[in-house]
Amino acid sequence: MIDRRTLTTAIGIGAAAALPVGALPAAAATEAAAAPQAGPRRAPATPGGRPGFGALKQVRAGVLDIGYAEAGPAHGPVVVCLHGWPYDIHSFADVAPLLADAGYRVIVPYLRGHGTTAFLSAQTVRNAQQSAVALDVIALMDALKIPEAVLAGFDWGSRTAAVVAALWPGRVKALVPVGGYLVTQVAAQKDPLPPRAERTWWYQYYFATERGRTAMETRRNRHDLCRLVWEEASPTWEFDDSTFERTAAAFDHPDHAAIVVHNYRWRLGLADGERRYDRYERLLATRPPVTVPSLTLAPALDPFLPTTDGSAYRHLFTGPYEHRVLPGVGHNTPQEAPQEFARAVLDADRL
C-alpha cells in the first residue's frame, strides 16, 4: 500500500495489450530494448529555496542515452512524467517531491533533443514523429526494468503518454494527459482551424520555413522565442527569469533545433517520418481508444484548448475515466499547479 498521508496533507486530497513490445518488428524491437474561469493566481514561480532535483541519472535505452531525474523509493509504484516543448524536466520539479512523499518512484526523463538525453549514433535520423518518441518511453521503461507505470504529461508529453497507452496498454497502469487525447492524425492537419486558433499556433508555421529553422539554431533567437511561447501559453503565470533560464539550458543541445523543427513539420505533413514506424502511425491514424484508467486535465487558460469540457475526446477514453477543469491555470500545468497535477496522478491511480 502507498502511504498517502503526506500527500493528503500537502495538497488536501480526500483520499488489452495491443502490439506488445515482444511483437515489434526487429528494427523497432531494437529501439524499444467545464467553462474557463479566471480563478485566483498562485504564488510567483521561483527556483530559490526549492530542493529541486538531485544529481541526474543516465541510461542507455533504444537509440538514446537518456538523462532523467528520479525521486522517491526505489521499489515504489512508478510514475513517469513527460514534458513538452519549450519545457523540460523542471516542469515537474514541484510535482515529483509530492508524489515521492506519497510513496511513488518518480521518473522524469528529458525528451530526445533536450538536456542530457543524447543520440547514441550520429547516423540516427533526428526524428520526432509521435511513435518514435513514444518508443523512447518504452525503451526507457525496459532499460529500468519497469513493467508498468502511471504516465502523466503535458504538451508533447500528453501526446506521447496517450500513444503509449493506446498502443501498449499493458505497460500503462493509469494515464494523466493534460489536454486530453492529443494523438496526431497527419491527414487531418491539412484542414485549417478557425483564424484565432491558427494564430495561436504561429510558431508551428514559423518552423515550417527555413527562416524558422535558422531562428531555432541561433541561441538568442531560440531563447527569446521560447520565452515568448511561455508567456503566451501561460498568460497569468508569474515566472521569474531564473525559472525560465533553468529550463532554457535544456535547449542548448546540438539536436534541439532538428528535433523541434521535425516534430512540427511532420505533424503538418511537411516532413517524412521513418518507414520503420509506419505500422504504428497507421494504427494511430485510426484514433485507437485509450482503454486504461485515465484522468484528463483541462487548464482553463490554456490558449490551445478550444473548449475545456472534454466532450470532443471523451469517447476516445473507454476505461475508467474522470475529467477535471483547472481554473486559472495555463499550458504548463504541472509547474503552474503542481498540487492539482499531483492530486490527479494519485486519483488516476485509484480509478
Side-chain angles (χ1 to χ4, degrees), residues 34 177 179-182 287-297 307-324 351:
Y181 190 94
L182 299 183
R287 293 173 71 80
V290 172
T291 59
V292 306
S294 301
L295 195 160
T296 55
L297 295 174
T307 64
T308 58
D309 64 6
S311 59
Y313 49 76
R314 174 63 185 91
H315 65 289
L316 294 166
F317 293 91
T318 60
Y321 180 79
E322 185 176 339
H323 177 76
R324 293 179 184 172
L351 286 175

Side-chain angles (χ1 to χ4, degrees), residues 37-255:
Q37 304 173 41
R41 289 312 307 136
R42 290 159 180 79
T46 57
R50 295 178 183 167
F53 294 119
L56 297 184
K57 299 182 178 182
Q58 298 288 140
V59 65
R60 291 195 169 202
V63 299
L64 300 172
D65 182 15
I66 297 179
Y68 65 100
E70 182 170 354
H75 300 292
V78 180
V79 178
V80 178
C81 296
L82 300 170
H83 69 82
W85 181 88
Y87 307 98
D88 83 328
I89 63 173
H90 292 99
S91 286
F92 300 99
D94 293 332
V95 169
L98 293 172
L99 294 175
D101 286 347
Y104 286 89
R105 180 187 180 192
V106 186
I107 306 294
V108 190
Y110 279 113
L111 296 184
R112 51 173 62 191
H114 293 70
T116 62
T117 290
F119 286 93
L120 295 173
S121 171
Q123 280 68 54
T124 302
V125 177
R126 273 38 178 176
N127 177 357
Q129 70 185 101
Q130 60 188 355
S131 56
V133 180
L135 278 165
D136 291 344
V137 176
I138 295 292
L140 173 66
M141 293 173 64
D142 286 349
L144 297 179
K145 296 180 172 53
I146 297 170
E148 69 170 4
V150 178
L151 300 187
F154 75 106
D155 195 86
W156 292 19
S158 284
R159 178 175 297 104
T160 302
V163 169
V164 175
L167 296 185
W168 298 281
R171 306 301 298 270
V172 182
K173 187 179 181 187
L175 179 70
V176 179
V178 176
Y181 190 94
L182 299 183
V183 175
T184 297
Q185 285 182 300
V186 175
Q189 298 294 316
K190 297 177 182 179
D191 296 329
L193 299 170
R196 288 186 182 276
E198 294 280 12
R199 182 174 64 181
T200 302
W201 288 97
W202 63 268
Y203 56 86
Q204 178 173 239
Y205 310 123
Y206 188 38
F207 296 157
T209 70
E210 286 306 295
R211 185 183 182 96
R213 178 193 292 276
T214 300
M216 283 299 290
E217 292 172 343
T218 307
R219 190 180 190 279
R220 172 47 56 188
N221 288 340
R222 178 176 66 244
H223 175 280
D224 293 352
L225 185 156
C226 292
R227 177 150 187 155
L228 178 60
V229 173
W230 272 41
E231 292 168 353
E232 293 184 348
S234 299
T236 58
W237 182 41
E238 298 176 355
F239 64 89
D240 62 9
D241 290 345
S242 58
T243 298
F244 177 75
E245 297 300 337
R246 179 177 62 173
T247 286
F251 311 150
D252 292 333
H253 186 292
D255 297 315

